[in-house]
Each structure stands twice: as structure tokens, then as C-alpha cells.
Amino acid sequence: MPDRSPRPRRRAEIPAHIQEVARNLFESKGYAGVTMEQIAGQAAVSKRTLYKYFPVKETLLERLLEEKLAMDLAQRDFRIDHQAGFRDSVLRLLHGSAQWCEQHADYLLPYIRYKFATFDPGAAAGEDKGLLPVWAMLIASAQERGELRSARPARQLGTYFHYLYLGALMRWLTEPRLDLRREFDMVVDLFIDGAA
């Protein structure tokens, strides 16, 4: 096991310190191979302090994975190519997503299980920085071009598309022999056939 990381002197730095220690442990031992006790020990914090900031290991995973996704999404160009239709635009994005998912496959199943287990439909919705706004933007553009019907708001259709996306992702995570790009191709076909 690597040397213990020195605990920061400033209390405000402790959560980021714990996250960095968890990230290093997850990368070296795999998510399933790391316990909260190991994280506390490696971060040189008490278990009480660790649980104060992160009540379960999945909260650490959630924070780390969502930060990584936001960082990776910020580097992408989501300008709409008006020469490419909806199908080509969304497939390009989905195939990029498949590559990202394959690189983070060890984390995705526990992350998605945790997200569904803690889903609260009554909670105030914050600004979504994931893929949902991208789907809505692509759908709105396709509606303006007449590729998709505009009887439903783009945000609503984006939500439906997002759930199709999550369904394909869950199927791939639980049936590893599947090709994620093919699963995403089927999502696009299903969505367009139902929304065109």
C-alpha cells in the first residue's frame, strides 16, 4: 500500500484530500477492492471524519465520476453541425460515449445502482451538467429542421432519449458480451422511428 497522504491542515481542504486519496486507491486496487477504512487510513483521517463528508463509498464514487464526466464533456465541441442530420450527430456522440463508458466500466454499474437507489423525484432539480441537456439541444435542432416532430418539448424528448440511453448502458453492463455501440445504434433507431 502507498504511503499515507498527509492530512491537510485546513479543514476546508479535507473533502478534496479524501477524494484524491479515494481516486488513487480506486485506480490502483479497483473500486470493489477498496474499503472506507482503507480510504480513511490512507487519507490520515478518522472514520468519523470520512463518514461526515462521505456517508458511503458510493458518494465518493459519485463525486469522482461526475467530476470526470463534467471535465471530459467540457472539452467536447457540441456545436450543431447543420450539414449532419440528427442521426449522424447523435451517433457520433453516442459512439464517443461508448468509448468513455468502456474506459470507466468498473465504476459505472455501482454508480448507476447508487443513483437509482437514491433517486428522489421530489428533490429540487439542479442544473444538469451531464448528457441530458445535450440530447435536448440536438433534438431541438432536429425539430427546427423538421427531422423530428415538434409536438413535444425538446426537453421532454431529451429525457425519454436519456432513459433509452441508460437502458442500453445497463444492458451492456449486465451482459458484457454485448457491443455498446450496437446497443446505442438501436437506441437511435428506436427513438427516431418513434419520433420522426
Side-chain angles (χ1 to χ4, degrees), residues 2 8-9 32 38 40 48 61 66 119 135 138 155 157 160 175 182 193:
R9 292 183 189 269
Q38 289 171 319
R48 181 178 178 180
L61 176 64
E66 288 180 2
F119 175 69
W135 305 141
L138 289 171
R155 177 92 178 159
L157 292 177
Y160 294 158
E175 297 182 40
R182 279 197 194 144
D193 289 344

Side-chain angles (χ1 to χ4, degrees), residues 91 94-96 98-100 102 172 178-186:
L91 280 174
L94 284 170
H95 289 184
Q99 181 180 359
W100 192 91
E102 289 164 354
W172 171 73
L178 297 176
D179 181 318
L180 186 54
R181 284 164 190 77
R182 279 197 194 144
E183 292 297 303
F184 285 159
D185 291 348
M186 285 189 273

